[in-house]
Amino acid sequence: MSKERAQRRAEREREAAVLAAARAAEAERRERRDARLRAMTSRLPRRRRGPSGILAERRRTQGRVLVLAGVVLNALVWFATDDWYLRSLALLLTVLLLPLVHVLMTRK
């Protein structure tokens, strides 16, 4: 009887050792994979999470609309005239005045 118990215990221990070795190998593979992933993603820029909410979304939308208006205005000037002086003047004024308009539009 005790021989059988010893055999069963040895068998259970062998099975546990095999399972532990498989878990250790899996953990080692996972650690190598995570190390490779960290090495690759460490070179990428971090994604910044900005403010969220209704007010932040409204501010982003206003900024996008303002930039779109500047692009449309420059496109209209581009297609309306062939004079490079007017085109470059419109672009320069847009670049200089867009931040000012943005401040005036968003401040209350």
Side-chain angles (χ1 to χ4, degrees):
M1 190 70 147
S2 64
K3 270 188 181 179
E4 288 178 22
R5 257 189 283 160
Q7 275 182 334
R8 285 190 301 238
R9 182 178 52 219
E11 190 176 321
R12 280 194 311 269
E13 288 174 355
R14 266 194 310 273
E15 289 174 3
V18 167
L19 288 175
R23 278 194 299 267
E26 179 63 31
E28 186 178 344
R29 279 192 299 272
R30 190 178 314 115
E31 182 60 36
R32 282 195 312 256
R33 186 189 70 217
D34 291 345
R36 280 193 311 270
L37 186 64
R38 278 192 306 272
M40 293 304 289
T41 58
S42 67
R43 296 184 179 120
L44 297 175
R46 301 271 188 258
R47 182 176 174 140
R48 293 186 325 151
R49 295 297 300 167
S52 62
I54 296 170
L55 295 176
E57 183 63 35
R58 183 182 302 159
R59 185 166 188 257
R60 283 191 296 268
T61 303
Q62 286 175 346
R64 289 179 190 133
V65 166
L66 191 60
V67 168
L68 182 65
V71 169
V72 167
L73 179 69
N74 277 306
L76 288 175
V77 169
W78 182 272
F79 290 121
T81 183
D82 289 333
D83 187 15
W84 280 98
Y85 177 74
L86 287 176
R87 288 177 177 176
S88 57
L89 182 65
L91 180 64
L92 181 67
L93 285 176
T94 303
V95 169
L96 291 176
L97 294 179
L98 216 62
L100 179 65
V101 171
H102 179 59
V103 168
L104 292 174
M105 192 173 85
T106 56
R107 298 286 170 150
K108 298 213 174 188

